[in-house]
Amino acid sequence: KRKFKRDILLLGTWFTARGKFAKELIDRGLKFDIYGDNWHKDINYKYLKNFIKGRGVWGYKYSKLIYESKIVLSVPNINNDDDITNKSLEVPAIGSLLLTTDTKSHRKIFFSGKDVVFFKNTLDCYKKCKILLNSENRINKISIAGHKKITSNPKFDNEKNLIKLL
């Protein structure tokens, strides 16, 4: 019975590939909110600025922003050779649906369509957003499964892991 403030959220610092990804989704007609730093650096900033709702957020505001979104898009930074981000674990832990790039690291943790949803390219992401937004029941089912997967697995318990490190 959550009250969502937005359908789709793209949360993260701008980098070239993420900017291109956002513009391609917008060109297809997808509407979503962008929060993150450095988006003004994008060559298409004038086009993207109507979708940019704020700079980077942390702490409670970060969690609230995710929690109030039906779908959270995650695009790892390929410039850093990343194939997973902190959001890959944080979004399901907070309880929203993670729609993320299909990568080896993501496949080691999740099952697409069960506890998160993977996409292969911008067109695939667009199509999956449209399908998911037509079924709030499916969004809830996947969100709950992702939440349970992360919060019930001791491998992802930061407090216990820090204690072990100490």
Side-chain angles (χ1 to χ4, degrees):
K1 303 288 182 189
R2 283 166 51 180
K3 300 278 186 200
F4 294 106
K5 289 196 174 179
R6 73 197 53 76
D7 286 339
I8 305 169
L9 172 67
L10 176 58
L11 184 61
T13 301
W14 172 86
F15 59 88
T16 305
R18 191 175 281 156
K20 182 179 180 218
F21 172 80
K23 183 175 183 310
E24 288 176 11
L25 288 177
I26 293 166
D27 286 345
R28 294 185 187 283
L30 199 64
K31 293 184 178 5
F32 53 94
D33 293 348
I34 299 172
Y35 283 81
D37 293 329
N38 298 326
W39 282 87
H40 65 280
K41 294 181 179 183
D42 195 274
I43 60 170
N44 295 300
Y45 175 71
K46 288 182 181 181
Y47 187 71
L48 297 171
K49 71 180 178 180
N50 292 330
F51 296 85
I52 300 167
K53 304 301 179 189
R55 298 194 59 177
V57 293
W58 294 267
Y60 175 75
K61 287 181 181 180
Y62 175 82
S63 298
K64 187 173 188 276
L65 197 59
I66 291 170
Y67 186 78
E68 293 172 342
S69 305
K70 291 179 186 177
I71 299 169
V72 180
L73 303 175
S74 176
V75 183
N77 189 341
I78 57 173
N79 296 335
N80 293 340
D81 203 26
D82 294 340
D83 76 340
I84 194 167
T85 70
N86 286 338
K87 281 186 288 301
S88 301
L89 302 177
E90 293 164 350
V91 171
I94 292 167
S96 290
L97 188 145
L98 176 68
L99 180 57
T100 190
T101 311
D102 184 358
T103 67
K104 184 178 178 181
S105 294
H106 286 138
R107 286 189 304 273
K108 283 182 180 178
I109 300 169
F110 300 109
F111 295 104
S112 188
K114 183 179 177 197
D115 29 55
V116 301
V117 177
F118 299 149
F119 62 85
K120 296 201 180 289
N121 53 46
T122 310
L123 177 59
D124 190 35
C125 180
Y126 168 80
K127 288 178 179 178
K128 288 180 176 172
C129 283
K130 289 299 194 180
I131 290 167
L132 288 165
L133 290 173
N134 284 323
S135 177
E136 199 159 311
N137 186 44
R138 188 166 181 203
I139 289 173
N140 289 334
K141 187 176 179 181
I142 295 169
S143 298
I144 290 166
H147 176 76
K148 285 180 183 175
K149 172 160 261 176
I150 296 303
T151 58
S152 67
N153 190 331
K155 186 185 337 183
F156 303 120
D157 187 325
N158 283 341
E159 188 174 331
K160 288 180 183 172
N161 289 331
L162 287 172
I163 290 169
K164 281 182 189 176
L165 280 172
L166 292 174

